[in-house]
Amino acid sequence: MNHFSVATARWVFAGAASLASCALAAPALGTLTLGGPGAVVSYPLMHMVETQALRAHAQNVEFRLWESHDQLSALLVQKKLDFSAAPTTLPALLASKGQNTRLLSVSVWGLVWLVSTDPKVQRFADLGGEELLSPFQHDLGDVLIDTLLTAQAQDGQPAVKVRRTRTGQDAIALMLSGQGRHVVLAEPMASMLLWRNQQQSAPRPLHRVQSLEGVWATQFPAQPSLPQAGLMANATVADDRALSEAVEQAYAASARWCKAQALECARIAHKYLPHMPVPVLQQAIEVTRLESRPATAVRAQLQALYTLLQAKHPKAIGNRLPADGFYGP
């Protein structure tokens, strides 16, 4: 074989090896669908899409916004979502019904805030005898608020009358029109209320009183943490441990970035939530404890919450505690 032939052979071999290497490195999946609500828990997912954080695992990664827990449940059952931000009760509820879902991480430890027009209201305990607007219905926020107010009433405090609204926007409208004095809202809706109030020609006195997380540790010292929302894997990917670990780690990295770069993260979130002003999204990030931790690392806190719910609102988690395999990939 002459020099040219040897060189050619080496070139062909090198090219074939390169092609084989590319083939091995090619993403295993065509499209990976991430989902979440318009809340802070979803912003790291949006950042992951924008930065192509999962390009080694899928050719295309997209984010799908869902508006209600019923819609999320339908998307999961129809296998139209692979990973989703969700309240920590929802994957537990689905798992109790026999669906192969897992909770990968907890990232939001309190996103519900009490906002009031009364400067004398400095904490939830000061609401005794008052009417409280709440847009939460048949979800984790509703369960937690009911559990808190029931416990406070049992401690001898005057009962609070909860007036439920259809949506968070309805609750905001009632507050802005003077038809409500106190409201509980999840971020970014609490920040939206305060921002819209300042945009009015004659803003009413409104102040952010206390987070649900802030009062929870005092009222329930045996269950001081409030692992409220995180990242779950649907049946489509729940058995793919390597992929789930990669997504959980990418999500944790994006959550750290969002917390450190609140303004830039807000600008990304605004692309998916154009109706929400950037200052509102930024403030929501700044006031939310966004700290992503693997479900296996916070299993004790999750089990404490699930045990409390099992005793007081068992339907929220399907009348039983999650099995061992539920926590993490």
Side-chain angles (χ1 to χ4, degrees):
M1 183 179 290
N2 59 32
H3 177 73
F4 177 79
S5 298
V6 170
T8 302
R10 288 174 177 170
W11 180 83
V12 171
F13 178 79
S18 177
L19 289 173
S21 175
C22 290
L24 290 173
L29 300 175
T31 297
L32 195 63
T33 304
L34 314 178
V40 177
V41 67
S42 295
Y43 302 168
L45 294 174
M46 298 171 183
H47 177 257
M48 289 163 63
V49 173
E50 293 297 310
T51 58
Q52 300 182 38
L54 299 174
R55 58 184 175 275
H57 302 276
Q59 297 174 18
N60 180 50
V61 181
E62 59 187 20
F63 178 83
R64 181 165 184 173
L65 187 71
W66 50 262
E67 302 290 343
S68 68
H69 294 166
D70 288 340
Q71 183 187 9
L72 170 58
S73 297
L75 290 171
L76 293 172
V77 170
Q78 296 165 11
K79 297 183 178 180
K80 294 182 178 180
L81 286 181
D82 298 307
F83 297 93
S84 183
T88 52
T89 48
L90 185 60
L93 176 62
L94 294 175
S96 74
K97 295 180 179 180
Q99 295 188 39
N100 186 18
T101 59
R102 289 192 173 100
L103 181 61
L104 301 183
S105 64
V106 175
S107 56
V108 171
W109 302 79
L111 73 162
V112 177
W113 285 86
L114 170 62
V115 178
S116 177
T117 62
D118 188 351
K120 295 180 181 179
V121 174
Q122 298 294 319
R123 53 183 184 157
F124 274 88
D126 297 332
L127 289 173
E130 296 285 324
E131 180 182 81
L132 176 66
L133 298 177
S134 173
F136 303 106
Q137 299 187 43
H138 312 299
D139 57 17
L140 179 56
D142 185 34
V143 169
L144 294 176
I145 291 167
D146 178 72
T147 300
L148 172 65
L149 296 180
T150 299
Q152 290 184 341
Q154 291 172 345
D155 288 344
Q157 298 176 24
V160 176
K161 179 183 178 182
V162 177
R163 179 184 174 186
R164 289 178 172 80
T165 64
R166 190 174 62 87
T167 66
Q169 292 287 3
D170 291 341
I172 288 176
L174 290 171
M175 289 292 292
L176 294 177
S177 65
Q179 299 178 62
R181 299 182 63 222
H182 320 285
V183 65
V184 281
L185 291 167
E187 286 296 348
M189 299 307 289
S191 294
M192 174 64 97
L193 168 60
L194 295 170
W195 182 83
R196 286 186 58 185
N197 184 61
Q198 288 301 315
Q199 304 308 304
Q200 295 193 140
S201 56
R204 301 177 69 202
L206 276 180
H207 65 287
R208 188 188 294 270
V209 178
Q210 187 180 31
S211 72
L212 187 59
E213 179 198 18
V215 70
W216 195 264
T218 302
Q219 190 66 45
F220 302 103
Q223 296 95 15
S225 295
L226 195 54
Q228 204 159 344
L231 182 65
M232 64 170 287
N234 194 22
T236 55
V237 292
D239 290 331
D240 191 334
R241 182 169 183 172
L243 176 62
S244 293
E245 288 178 345
V247 172
E248 185 273 320
Q249 291 168 10
Y251 178 90
S254 287
R256 289 192 295 271
W257 183 87
C258 280
K259 191 62 180 176
Q261 305 291 335
L263 176 57
E264 294 305 314
C265 185
R267 288 172 175 160
I268 289 176
H270 179 67
K271 294 175 60 176
Y272 296 85
L273 305 166
H275 61 289
M276 300 294 291
V278 170
V280 170
L281 296 170
Q282 180 181 358
Q283 185 178 52
I285 297 167
E286 292 172 345
V287 301
T288 298
R289 181 184 167 195
L290 181 62
E291 178 187 329
S292 185
R293 300 180 63 190
T296 51
V298 295
R299 179 170 174 171
Q301 293 93 318
L302 286 163
Q303 288 180 323
L305 176 62
Y306 291 148
T307 300
L308 177 66
L309 295 177
Q310 176 71 3
K312 297 182 179 296
H313 296 276
K315 291 183 179 179
I317 57 172
N319 297 295
R320 64 175 180 174
L321 297 177
D324 291 345
F326 170 77
Y327 301 92

